[in-house]
Amino acid sequence: MAKDKKLVEAITSMDVDFAQWYTDVVKKAELMGYSSVKGCMIFKPAGYAIWENIQHELDRRFKETGVENVYMPMFIPESLLEREKDHVEGFAPEVAWVTYGGLNPLQERLCVRPTSETLFCDFYKDEIQSYRDLPKVYNQWCSVVRWEKETRPFLRSREFLWQEGHTAHATAEEAEERTQQMLNLYADFCEEVLAMPVIRGRKTDKEKFAGAEATYTIEALMHDGKALQSGTSHNFGDGFAKAFEIQYTDKDNQLKYVHQTSWGMTTRLIGAIIMVHGDDSGLVLPPRIAPVQVDVIPIMQNKEGVLDKAHEVLETLRAAGLRAKLDDTDKSPGWKFSEQEMRGIPVRVEMGPRDIEANQAILVRRDTREKITVSLDTLAEKITEILDTMQTEMLERARAHRDAHTYDAHNYEEFKDIVANKPGFIRGMWCGEQACEDKIKEETTATSRCMPFTQEKISDVCVCCGKPAKKLVYWGKAY
Amino acid sequence: MAKDKKLVEAITSMDVDFAQWYTDVVKKAELMGYSSVKGCMIFKPAGYAIWENIQHELDRRFKETGVENVYMPMFIPESLLEREKDHVEGFAPEVAWVTYGGLNPLQERLCVRPTSETLFCDFYKDEIQSYRDLPKVYNQWCSVVRWEKETRPFLRSREFLWQEGHTAHATAEEAEERTQQMLNLYADFCEEVLAMPVIRGRKTDKEKFAGAEATYTIEALMHDGKALQSGTSHNFGDGFAKAFEIQYTDKDNQLKYVHQTSWGMTTRLIGAIIMVHGDDSGLVLPPRIAPVQVDVIPIMQNKEGVLDKAHEVLETLRAAGLRAKLDDTDKSPGWKFSEQEMRGIPVRVEMGPRDIEANQAILVRRDTREKITVSLDTLAEKITEILDTMQTEMLERARAHRDAHTYDAHNYEEFKDIVANKPGFIRGMWCGEQACEDKIKEETTATSRCMPFTQEKISDVCVCCGKPAKKLVYWGKAY
């Protein structure tokens, strides 16, 4: 038993040190490893498989809205990056520069894309001539590089994986519609698939994307009460179009600028899954995103017939469309249970000689640890049912946790008290001045997360300066 | 009609100038575009969709053999690239170097991966301790960079997309088995899915991968008689393991080196599809890889009921699992036909008011241009049947073309005559000396493509030097 406990004991409790707990889970669940390039991570099979499922489901939803995938070069010439003023200021300080191709110095430096607005604009400039060429609703799956100083697995690394959508439209209205459509698609995906509730809203000017007219965001609350920006969608208006001269001839024969958007989600989402659902035994994966949903663990597997029956059960589960695996390694059952829990596999099936004799197995839910005995005849149906229930309840629990950690502040004293003592979202009115955002950030380290689409008036005055308030804002410390 | 013809007339005939025909097809079928970074291409939706289908099908086949996907960093520190001598000599002259991160020069240069053997080795060194950790059968989908001087869409570009599998095994036998397994998987994929016959064989030492003990290859013949290396699989033995000290404790408690393999396929395959199947009307896509298999083109679509019926047909085809689209743009039918042909969509459905009245439509096969009239009641079944036939016949035609352009040379005069006058594969015996390969390459520009697994003895002596022959070799000019 000592050996069986080792895997679990090696994890720091999340209440003792959340950051260390997170690092322990990433390592023990074998999601990610460190590489010899500082700040660049290795996605191990268990981590990458989650990303593949995210990709698969997001891509399907994208295509239903008419998105087409493309692939642009990973390099951006310096002169191209500099074309849009706000954009280059936002990104130039943190890009990696290629200066040599083979043995020869390059005539012009190339940066490794930190994001690809400039490349898409350069492309659209030639592709778009007429209203018939619109809209362009393109997306790419790729990695991007930002030379961050401090990094954390999944949350912040010098290279990360993402998708970036870049669209061009005839009218401002259509661009705005697409910006909101993609934000809502992201939010629905988080809630329906990742069981992670999000606040949908708009970023303040201070927090918006470099070069955007408006940035919309979804903000999730982690178990430790910190916020995580989980997806963003930007409306550029015709700013980039003017910088890059992307014009089209409209039906009325007039030359007009296009209106553009971009939107992205990243491998941060894996960090969010860990921090929203995990517990002191490790990862807990929502069934819809779990690469393996069911772990069949035979007990006394050397007894005649046990492994045969376990294989038979495995095939039955797979035939029912479940993502199931069988752990027939020579480890002890206790060790296998710990591994299944650490890796967040939603359901495990325990079956020993006596269970088999009684034509039954024991199902254990990863999140609640609830155990039930089920006839082998109805195993697949029962597991499917449990996975559905678990998916629903995980979302409900995360929402209850989020709501229980969302506080209203009516004045600055209250605000500071909440930041200091109650980790979570703080709802507070705002006058609209950046000075207040700056002051709050400097004095409390909380930032404005978003102005939620669903506005309420919880006070007449700004939570910071006391002047008349314009907007309700969600504030919080953030990853 | 003048307008309708423009699209087709713009293509150079393949018999007049094959290289120009290729470039025309790439452009007119909207597969790829040029970017502002010299030598880096843009995969447009029609090109990228082919790659997505290749990925999807290859990935499925990989996973059936136990492959797990991972993602490694795109950067390799210079000292890591230099660890294996042959390898660094092969790649260092053509890599792109990152020398700045943000505003600061890096302490050590990082190259953008040209291939990731060194990164996987560095990773495996820590991951593999015991025989229980073996085998590792990992793969990644990514882009790689090689600073080529001359580039051509899909065939050679500074950045391209590929998959690279990297495995580690306990024994030499297991590594050899995996090397051959993946080569055969590639060959089956090319034949079954891309309708492209390939020669399976082994590269000579001169042509093998930098650092490999053995490189296996599949070689396809393009329509112009040039060869295209279409996939390779390498057995590294324990060479990399010794350079990187990748050792494991075996069951007998002895410390042993692992044996490694790597294998890859790239976006070159799209170039191969174009050059094996295309004709003077454009691309011809094998049905199994075609992003769109059926193009429904209404005739006199403004007549009442035509578009409604076309939509109905579209839904029926989709419900039957066919990848179908409807072209309801305001272009003329002739123009739409040209576009469908240019893009290589395997089947088009023409349906006008009279067809609808007669409850029928006209099907036209892209490859043979065969037209048949079919009842709307059996449309989906008939198209499915035609697509299967087309897939089979495309492979047969490509094989017949390849066989008709494969020549035996018994001496050097014959060899030179064939190279000069008969584009295709040349089968010729070889003494095993690199001097003969060098001479042949210098004097004829033909290279050894492979020593086929299926060996025959067509002569006793080397086709170049006349000394006793050891192996039958396929020679040819190559892309």
Side-chain angles (χ1 to χ4, degrees):
Chain A
M1 275 311 279
K3 191 181 162 207
D4 290 353
K5 279 186 175 174
K6 211 176 64 179
L7 195 72
V8 172
E9 282 175 357
I11 303 200
T12 306
S13 163
M14 58 202 296
D15 292 333
V16 172
D17 182 344
F18 192 78
Q20 188 58 49
W21 167 83
Y22 178 80
T23 308
D24 288 348
V25 172
V26 167
K27 189 176 171 194
K28 294 278 170 185
E30 300 189 64
L31 301 174
M32 195 172 241
Y34 294 91
S35 79
S36 58
V37 183
K38 191 167 169 287
C40 289
M41 315 289 172
I42 292 166
F43 289 78
K44 294 190 183 185
Y48 195 78
I50 299 174
W51 183 238
E52 281 185 303
N53 283 356
I54 291 173
Q55 277 191 302
H56 183 76
E57 180 61 21
L58 269 183
D59 201 66
R60 193 183 65 73
R61 291 175 184 231
F62 288 168
K63 284 176 176 157
E64 277 179 3
T65 75
V67 173
E68 295 183 289
N69 285 336
V70 298
Y71 185 77
M72 303 291 288
M74 70 154 82
F75 299 121
I76 308 175
E78 187 161 18
S79 57
L80 194 62
L81 185 70
E82 287 172 345
R83 198 79 64 84
E84 209 283 338
K85 207 175 64 59
D86 292 336
H87 190 70
V88 67
E89 279 174 16
F91 285 103
E94 58 173 30
V95 296
W97 291 103
V98 173
T99 59
Y100 272 77
L103 305 173
N104 306 310
L106 300 180
Q107 291 196 310
E108 180 181 13
R109 299 201 296 178
L110 304 171
C111 78
V112 182
R113 65 180 160 225
T115 180
S116 305
E117 275 73 12
T118 54
L119 288 165
F120 275 89
C121 284
D122 193 45
F123 175 52
Y124 285 154
K125 169 176 60 66
D126 297 327
E127 286 287 295
I128 298 169
Q129 306 295 335
S130 143
Y131 69 93
R132 287 172 201 258
D133 301 324
L134 293 172
K136 294 283 186 212
V137 187
Y138 290 171
N139 173 67
Q140 72 176 358
W141 293 93
C142 62
S143 77
V144 287
V145 169
R146 297 176 188 177
W147 220 249
E148 308 275 2
K149 292 211 168 54
E150 290 187 26
T151 60
R152 296 193 65 191
F154 296 115
L155 301 175
R156 198 172 291 280
S157 53
R158 287 184 168 172
E159 181 186 7
F160 59 89
L161 300 172
W162 79 347
Q163 59 68 217
E164 47 178 326
H166 295 270
T167 73
H169 306 270
T171 66
E173 294 67 37
E174 203 183 297
E176 178 61 20
E177 200 179 310
R178 174 58 72 169
T179 315
Q180 294 197 21
Q181 176 183 28
M182 299 317 288
L183 191 87
N184 285 319
L185 186 154
Y186 287 161
D188 293 346
F189 169 78
C190 285
E191 294 178 353
E192 292 164 15
V193 181
L194 307 186
M196 181 172 85
V198 294
I199 304 292
R200 308 171 195 212
R202 180 174 173 164
K203 287 283 185 191
T204 62
D205 282 353
K206 176 182 162 73
E207 300 290 337
K208 74 183 183 187
F209 184 79
E213 271 188 7
T215 289
Y216 301 122
T217 179
I218 49 174
E219 301 282 327
L221 197 70
M222 304 298 101
H223 190 83
D224 64 345
K226 276 171 130 174
L228 187 89
Q229 176 181 304
S230 304
T232 48
S233 186
H234 316 290
N235 187 342
F236 293 116
D238 57 8
F240 273 93
K242 284 179 173 163
F244 285 83
E245 296 185 351
I246 314 173
Q247 289 179 296
Y248 70 98
T249 307
D250 205 353
K251 286 176 189 167
D252 59 11
N253 225 22
Q254 298 290 305
L255 209 56
K256 295 177 184 172
Y257 288 107
V258 300
H259 290 75
Q260 291 172 271
T261 82
S262 81
W263 24 274
M265 271 194 158
T266 79
T267 35
R268 292 199 110 184
L269 286 176
I270 300 173
I273 294 168
I274 300 169
M275 291 195 289
V276 167
H277 300 299
D279 64 22
D280 279 350
S281 301
L283 191 58
V284 183
L285 288 170
R288 287 200 193 129
I289 210 69
V292 179
Q293 297 171 311
V294 191
D295 198 357
V296 179
I297 301 180
I299 316 288
M300 302 176 75
Q301 64 184 27
N302 295 328
K303 287 257 179 184
E304 200 189 320
V306 173
L307 269 185
D308 285 348
K309 195 69 187 176
H311 273 287
E312 196 183 293
V313 162
L314 178 72
E315 289 317 314
T316 309
L317 299 181
R318 286 186 172 164
L322 293 164
R323 298 190 288 270
K325 80 181 238 301
L326 166 64
D327 189 347
D328 58 1
T329 58
D330 57 7
K331 298 164 192 166
S332 74
W335 185 264
K336 291 179 185 179
F337 297 167
S338 291
E339 281 197 334
Q340 168 260 325
E341 291 181 357
M342 184 62 67
R343 289 170 188 185
I345 300 171
V347 167
R348 80 166 172 257
V349 176
E350 305 175 4
M351 48 188 295
R354 270 191 240 169
D355 299 309
I356 292 169
E357 210 171 299
N359 193 42
Q360 66 183 33
I362 294 163
L363 304 188
V364 187
R365 245 175 87 164
R366 172 64 184 88
D367 57 339
T368 57
R369 289 199 165 62
E370 192 187 341
K371 278 190 182 203
I372 56 170
T373 303
V374 175
S375 158
L376 291 184
D377 301 334
T378 57
L379 198 62
E381 296 90 308
K382 194 65 201 172
I383 291 176
T384 305
E385 198 183 301
I386 287 176
L387 292 177
D388 283 346
T389 308
M390 186 171 161
Q391 182 81 29
T392 307
E393 291 183 7
M394 284 178 76
L395 175 62
E396 281 168 9
R397 261 198 313 276
R399 185 172 281 134
H401 176 270
R402 197 242 348 243
D403 292 348
H405 293 80
T406 300
Y407 307 95
D408 286 3
H410 303 87
N411 56 55
Y412 200 42
E413 285 314 303
E414 263 183 44
F415 190 97
K416 284 191 287 188
D417 179 59
I418 296 167
V419 177
N421 301 305
K422 297 175 180 169
F425 278 132
I426 306 163
R427 307 197 319 155
M429 302 303 292
W430 177 53
C431 62
E433 294 298 322
Q434 195 181 316
C436 285
E437 283 180 274
D438 290 341
K439 186 179 173 189
I440 286 174
K441 185 171 181 183
E442 200 189 311
E443 294 180 359
T444 72
T445 74
T447 49
S448 70
R449 304 314 310 154
C450 70
M451 300 176 282
F453 289 153
T454 311
Q455 281 283 317
E456 281 174 66
K457 194 174 182 179
I458 62 170
S459 153
D460 292 326
V461 296
C462 175
V463 76
C464 181
C465 67
K467 288 182 193 154
K470 288 193 176 139
K471 286 281 184 186
L472 173 66
V473 167
Y474 272 72
W475 309 83
K477 294 187 186 181
Y479 280 98
Chain B
M1 273 314 278
K3 193 179 160 207
D4 290 353
K5 280 187 176 173
K6 210 175 63 181
L7 195 72
V8 172
E9 281 175 357
I11 304 199
T12 306
S13 162
M14 57 202 296
D15 292 333
V16 171
D17 182 345
F18 193 78
Q20 188 58 48
W21 167 84
Y22 178 79
T23 308
D24 288 349
V25 172
V26 167
K27 190 175 171 194
K28 294 281 171 183
E30 299 189 62
L31 300 174
M32 194 171 243
Y34 294 92
S35 80
S36 58
V37 184
K38 193 168 168 288
C40 290
M41 314 289 172
I42 293 166
F43 288 78
K44 294 189 183 187
Y48 194 78
I50 299 173
W51 182 239
E52 282 185 302
N53 282 357
I54 291 174
Q55 278 191 300
H56 183 76
E57 179 61 22
L58 269 183
D59 200 67
R60 192 183 65 71
R61 292 174 183 231
F62 288 168
K63 283 176 178 158
E64 276 179 4
T65 75
V67 173
E68 296 183 289
N69 285 336
V70 298
Y71 186 77
M72 304 291 288
M74 70 154 82
F75 299 120
I76 308 174
E78 186 162 18
S79 57
L80 193 61
L81 186 69
E82 287 172 345
R83 198 79 63 84
E84 208 284 338
K85 206 176 66 58
D86 292 337
H87 190 69
V88 65
E89 278 175 14
F91 285 104
E94 56 173 31
V95 296
W97 292 103
V98 173
T99 57
Y100 272 78
L103 305 173
N104 306 311
L106 301 180
Q107 290 195 311
E108 180 181 14
R109 299 200 297 177
L110 303 171
C111 79
V112 182
R113 64 179 161 226
T115 179
S116 305
E117 275 74 11
T118 54
L119 289 165
F120 275 90
C121 284
D122 192 46
F123 175 51
Y124 285 152
K125 168 175 60 66
D126 297 327
E127 285 288 294
I128 298 168
Q129 307 293 336
S130 142
Y131 69 93
R132 288 172 201 259
D133 301 323
L134 293 171
K136 294 283 186 213
V137 187
Y138 290 171
N139 172 67
Q140 71 175 358
W141 293 92
C142 63
S143 77
V144 286
V145 169
R146 298 176 186 177
W147 220 249
E148 307 275 3
K149 292 211 169 55
E150 289 186 28
T151 60
R152 295 193 66 189
F154 296 116
L155 301 177
R156 199 173 291 279
S157 54
R158 288 184 168 173
E159 181 186 7
F160 58 90
L161 301 172
W162 78 347
Q163 58 69 218
E164 46 178 328
H166 296 270
T167 73
H169 306 270
T171 65
E173 293 67 36
E174 203 182 298
E176 177 61 21
E177 200 180 312
R178 174 58 71 169
T179 315
Q180 294 197 20
Q181 177 183 28
M182 299 318 286
L183 191 87
N184 285 320
L185 186 153
Y186 287 161
D188 293 345
F189 169 79
C190 285
E191 293 178 354
E192 292 163 17
V193 181
L194 306 185
M196 182 171 85
V198 294
I199 304 292
R200 307 171 195 213
R202 180 175 175 163
K203 287 282 185 192
T204 62
D205 282 352
K206 176 181 162 72
E207 299 290 337
K208 75 183 183 187
F209 184 79
E213 273 189 5
T215 288
Y216 300 122
T217 180
I218 48 174
E219 301 282 327
L221 197 69
M222 303 298 103
H223 189 83
D224 64 345
K226 278 171 128 175
L228 188 89
Q229 177 181 303
S230 304
T232 48
S233 186
H234 317 289
N235 187 342
F236 293 116
D238 57 8
F240 273 92
K242 284 180 173 162
F244 285 83
E245 295 184 355
I246 314 174
Q247 289 180 296
Y248 70 98
T249 307
D250 205 353
K251 287 174 188 167
D252 59 12
N253 225 20
Q254 298 290 306
L255 209 55
K256 296 178 184 171
Y257 287 107
V258 300
H259 291 75
Q260 291 171 270
T261 81
S262 80
W263 22 274
M265 271 195 158
T266 78
T267 36
R268 289 201 114 185
L269 286 175
I270 301 174
I273 294 169
I274 300 169
M275 292 195 290
V276 167
H277 300 299
D279 65 22
D280 279 349
S281 300
L283 191 59
V284 182
L285 287 170
R288 286 198 195 129
I289 210 68
V292 179
Q293 297 171 311
V294 191
D295 197 357
V296 179
I297 301 180
I299 317 289
M300 301 176 76
Q301 65 184 28
N302 295 328
K303 288 257 180 184
E304 201 189 317
V306 173
L307 269 184
D308 285 347
K309 194 70 188 178
H311 273 287
E312 197 184 293
V313 162
L314 178 71
E315 289 316 313
T316 309
L317 299 182
R318 286 185 173 165
L322 294 165
R323 299 190 288 272
K325 81 182 237 301
L326 166 63
D327 189 347
D328 58 1
T329 58
D330 57 7
K331 299 165 193 165
S332 73
W335 185 263
K336 291 178 186 179
F337 296 168
S338 292
E339 281 196 336
Q340 168 260 325
E341 291 181 358
M342 184 64 67
R343 289 172 187 180
I345 300 171
V347 167
R348 80 167 171 257
V349 176
E350 306 175 4
M351 49 190 293
R354 269 192 241 168
D355 299 309
I356 293 169
E357 213 171 297
N359 193 43
Q360 66 183 35
I362 295 163
L363 303 188
V364 186
R365 247 174 86 164
R366 172 63 185 86
D367 58 339
T368 57
R369 288 199 167 62
E370 191 187 341
K371 277 190 183 202
I372 56 169
T373 303
V374 175
S375 157
L376 291 183
D377 301 334
T378 57
L379 199 60
E381 296 91 307
K382 193 65 201 173
I383 292 176
T384 304
E385 199 183 299
I386 287 176
L387 292 177
D388 283 347
T389 308
M390 188 170 159
Q391 182 80 31
T392 308
E393 291 183 6
M394 283 178 77
L395 176 61
E396 282 168 7
R397 260 199 313 276
R399 185 171 281 134
H401 177 270
R402 199 241 348 241
D403 293 347
H405 293 80
T406 299
Y407 306 95
D408 287 2
H410 304 87
N411 56 54
Y412 200 41
E413 285 313 305
E414 262 182 45
F415 191 97
K416 284 191 287 188
D417 178 59
I418 296 167
V419 177
N421 300 306
K422 298 175 180 169
F425 278 132
I426 306 165
R427 305 197 319 153
M429 302 303 292
W430 176 54
C431 61
E433 294 298 322
Q434 195 180 315
C436 286
E437 283 180 276
D438 290 341
K439 184 179 175 192
I440 286 174
K441 186 173 181 183
E442 198 190 312
E443 294 180 358
T444 72
T445 75
T447 50
S448 70
R449 304 316 310 154
C450 70
M451 300 176 282
F453 290 153
T454 311
Q455 282 283 318
E456 282 173 66
K457 193 174 184 181
I458 62 170
S459 152
D460 292 324
V461 296
C462 174
V463 76
C464 181
C465 67
K467 288 182 194 153
K470 288 193 177 139
K471 286 280 182 188
L472 174 66
V473 168
Y474 272 71
W475 310 83
K477 295 188 184 181
Y479 279 97

